[in-house]
Amino acid sequence: MTPGWITTTLLDNDAPGGWAVARSREGFLHDANGPLFPREWLKRQDLSVFAEHGIGHLDGEPVYLLELNSAGEVPGCSWQGLRGFMLQGDHTLYKVLGYAAQIGTWAREHRFCGSCGQAMAQVPRERAMYCQACDLRSYPRISPSMIVLVTRGDEILLARSPRFVTGVYSTLAGFAEPGESAEDCLIREVREEVQVEVRNIQYVGSQCWPFPHSMMLGFHAEYAGGDIVPQADEIEDAQWFNIHDLPPLPASRSIARYLIDLYVARRLGHAEPVLPG
Ligand SMILES: NC(=O)C1=CN([C@@H]2O[C@H](COP(=O)(O)OP(=O)(O)OC[C@H]3O[C@@H](n4cnc5c(N)ncnc54)[C@H](O)[C@@H]3O)[C@@H](O)[C@H]2O)C=CC1
Ligand SMILES: [Mg+2]
Ligand SMILES: [Zn+2]
């Protein structure tokens, strides 16, 4: 048995047993023991199953995803969004659910060929959908996003989007566009969002961000010039904050928080935090 969570290409849906998670528009089903249920038990509940996907092995046991048409009632259970599982609880289970969400979303959105509109079929032994008419394969979509902590000595540049929890400030982030390198994207995003120039861009680390399919690439950059001008509509406020006087920060498991905590720890000579994957 291999401990921990390992994603697999595909599992045999006709094989009995294993664990299952159930996902609807309301999030994942969970009870006092969490979001993982004995699969045979879950399939006996009064749930409207849209699709079933084998997604991996947890401590050697197969795990399946039941994609539902709607959030049904299961006695003793309730529904919780993926973000809730990210914010608290077992991190490995959150990884299972994050993967399940991405596979469920992708499979649901790729039932028909984007080129000719015909029904696509699951490729055997590979996580891909196939259109025979076009000989086209569609793989799960991952959207690279840059996230950067811009610093100026003891000051760090943080901004608020109107979508954030009240009071919280975070690092700047944005999706890569076709034709861009990671560095091009980072420089453009910082320019667009606050009209600041950066230099000495250093890659720090990455994080899967399954909301719904981002791959966060985290960087540190030094301030090189310009006065902060927040982008209309996108950025509600942006400021330089002293590391000794920081506002409410993003959730502890986010790479945004990691980039901030890492810089502060290095500045103060404290132990460095660990990046949650
Ligand atoms: N893990 C973390 O610590 C953090 C993660 N993020 C994530 O980074 C990503 C990018 O951040 P934003 O500032 O929102 O991006 P952004 O600054 O590029 O603006 C978002 C807008 O970009 C457009 N867009 C371009 N490509 C897109 C794509 N592939 N998918 C969706 N929208 C696309 C849409 O109009 C969307 O409203 C988001 O997924 C966000 O949740 C953001 C901050 C912290
Ligand atoms: Mg942004
Ligand atoms: Zn086609």
Side-chain angles (χ1 to χ4, degrees), residues 146 161 163 171-175 189 193 231 234-235:
M146 303 317 125
S161 142
R163 301 183 294 273
T171 48
L172 301 172
F175 291 100
E189 283 290 341
E193 296 193 348
Q231 183 181 19
E234 284 291 313
I235 304 291

Side-chain angles (χ1 to χ4, degrees), residues 17-169:
W19 297 106
V21 297
R23 188 176 89 122
S24 74
R25 282 204 187 83
E26 305 293 311
F28 286 93
L29 191 72
H30 72 127
D31 68 6
N33 295 316
L36 218 50
F37 296 89
R39 176 162 161 251
E40 301 306 325
W41 179 86
L42 196 59
K43 288 174 87 165
R44 285 197 301 274
Q45 305 309 304
D46 185 21
L47 295 169
S48 165
V49 178
F50 170 78
E52 181 172 18
H53 306 282
I55 54 171
H57 289 88
L58 183 62
D59 297 334
E61 284 290 312
V63 181
Y64 290 77
L65 162 67
L66 300 186
E67 274 275 284
L68 307 181
N69 287 310
S70 56
E73 289 272 335
V74 181
C77 298
S78 53
W79 298 90
Q80 179 173 273
L82 185 57
R83 267 174 201 276
F85 292 97
M86 185 270 292
L87 291 171
Q88 55 186 338
D90 185 275
H91 189 66
T92 302
L93 282 179
Y94 160 66
K95 297 284 287 181
V96 174
L97 300 182
Y99 185 72
Q102 293 196 69
I103 295 307
T105 301
W106 164 76
R108 195 180 274 268
E109 293 176 354
H110 289 81
R111 287 180 293 149
F112 298 97
C113 175
S115 182
C116 77
Q118 287 194 28
M120 297 185 98
Q122 171 69 57
V123 176
R125 293 180 294 283
E126 190 176 38
R127 187 75 66 191
M129 297 292 276
Y130 181 67
C131 173
Q132 204 158 19
C134 302
D135 190 25
L136 179 78
R137 266 165 211 250
S138 292
Y139 294 92
R141 176 151 62 130
I142 298 171
S143 304
S145 309
M146 303 317 125
I147 183 159
V148 58
L149 178 68
V150 181
T151 67
R152 186 169 73 181
D154 266 355
E155 291 177 311
I156 68 177
L157 204 175
L158 300 178
R160 270 195 56 74
S161 142
R163 301 183 294 273
F164 287 2
V165 174
T166 312
V168 168
Y169 282 74

